[in-house]
Amino acid sequence: GEDVEQSLFLSVREGDSSVINCTYTDSSSTYLYWYKQEPGAGLQLLTYIFSNMDMKQDQRLTVLLNKKDKHLSLRIADTQTGDSAIYFCADKGGKALTFGSGTRLQVQP
Amino acid sequence: KAGVTQTPRYLIKTRGQQVTLSCSPISGHRSVSWYQQTPGQGLQFLFEYFSETQRNKGNFPGRFSGRQFSNSRSEMNVSTLELGDSALYLCASAEGAEGNEQFFGPGTRLTVL
C-alpha cells in the first residue's frame, strides 16, 4: 500500500531556515500536503502542491517536489519559536489522505 | 467563516460502551472525512462522506460506523469500545467532490477505561 516517510525530529535556532523532508511511494498521488499540529490541537493545513508542479512558495513557506524521486520538502524561512510543532506530510492518490508519522520541529531561542 | 467544529472535545468511556462523535463542517462544505490519531499508529483514515453517502472506507472493523445528514453534519459511532480505541478522532471537511483541500477540526479526545 501507500507509504509516506518522514524523519522524526528537527532542531533549529530561531531565525534559521528549517527544511523538513518527506518521501512517498504512491505514483498516483495528485496532491501533496503539509499540515502543522500544535499540542492539543487539530491539523492546520499549511500548503499543498499539485503533482505536476516543482515548487510552490507561500510567504515564509517553500515547497519543493521531486516527482521522479517521490521526494517532498518544506522549507520555513526565518523560523520562529511559534513554528515549534509537529509537521505532517500527506499525499492524496486515492481515496483519502495518507500521512507520514510527523516531524517534530523544535525551535531554540 | 467558522471552522470545522467537533463535539464533544473530550470523552471518557468504559470498555463495552458505545460512543457517538459529532462534526460540523465549514459552511458550504459537503465532504466530511474522519481520521483516528494514536501515538502508535499515527493518522489513519476511517471513512469519508459526500452528500450523505459513504464514498470511501478505511481498514477499520465494523464497530466503527458513521453517517452524514442533509446539512452535511456528520456523526461517527463506535460500538463495544475497546481500550485500543482510545485516540484523537479528527474530522475534516472539504468543499467539493474532489475534496482536495481538507480542513481539520480540533478533534475529540476519547479515552476508554
Side-chain angles (χ1 to χ4, degrees):
Chain A
E2 305 92 354
D3 197 20
V4 178
E5 300 278 344
Q6 299 178 240
S7 52
L8 290 181
F9 186 75
L10 176 65
S11 179
V12 300
R13 291 204 177 275
E14 192 173 18
D16 288 350
S17 291
S18 307
V19 179
I20 303 171
N21 294 298
C22 169
T23 57
Y24 61 98
T25 59
D26 189 355
S27 300
S28 65
S29 293
T30 50
Y31 287 90
L32 295 123
Y33 303 82
W34 286 103
Y35 282 88
K36 175 184 179 183
Q37 187 175 38
E38 296 181 83
L43 300 176
Q44 176 191 352
L45 177 61
L46 289 177
T47 186
Y48 64 98
I49 187 168
F50 188 50
S51 59
N52 69 353
M53 297 171 65
D54 299 325
M55 185 184 91
K56 181 178 180 182
Q57 188 153 0
D58 186 358
Q59 299 183 334
R60 292 190 298 124
L61 305 179
T62 303
V63 178
L64 295 178
L65 174 61
N66 181 327
K67 195 172 181 181
K68 174 175 164 290
D69 294 339
K70 298 191 181 68
H71 181 269
L72 183 74
S73 67
L74 174 69
R75 178 178 180 269
I76 305 172
D78 187 25
T79 312
Q80 302 297 306
T81 54
D83 295 323
S84 293
I86 300 176
Y87 291 79
F88 291 93
C89 165
D91 78 339
K92 188 170 187 284
K95 57 184 181 182
L97 296 176
T98 300
F99 287 89
S101 54
T103 299
R104 181 178 296 276
L105 175 64
Q106 180 183 70
V107 183
Q108 298 174 343
Chain B
K1 270 187 188 176
V4 178
T5 57
Q6 293 187 245
T7 56
R9 291 293 312 278
Y10 303 91
L11 207 45
I12 299 175
K13 293 284 189 180
T14 56
R15 277 182 300 175
Q17 287 187 309
Q18 74 164 20
V19 68
T20 299
L21 312 182
S22 180
C23 171
S24 292
I26 293 170
S27 177
H29 285 195
R30 290 160 60 196
S31 168
V32 173
S33 299
W34 288 88
Y35 293 82
Q36 181 197 63
Q37 185 178 27
T38 59
Q41 299 298 316
L43 282 149
Q44 293 186 288
F45 170 69
L46 281 155
F47 25 65
E48 185 227 350
Y49 289 87
F50 181 79
S51 292
E52 301 179 68
T53 300
Q54 186 182 89
R55 291 202 300 184
N56 293 301
K57 190 176 191 306
N59 296 323
F60 279 81
R63 300 185 297 108
F64 291 81
S65 62
R67 58 179 176 168
Q68 187 180 33
F69 302 95
S70 58
N71 62 358
S72 295
R73 190 177 70 85
S74 177
E75 289 181 346
M76 67 163 280
N77 184 276
V78 188
S79 62
T80 320
L81 284 165
E82 300 177 0
L83 295 179
D85 296 333
S86 294
L88 181 67
Y89 289 89
L90 292 162
C91 163
S93 79
E95 188 170 2
E98 291 301 311
N100 291 326
E101 274 189 282
Q102 292 193 26
F103 297 92
F104 282 79
T108 294
R109 170 79 57 190
L110 172 65
T111 302
V112 182
L113 302 176

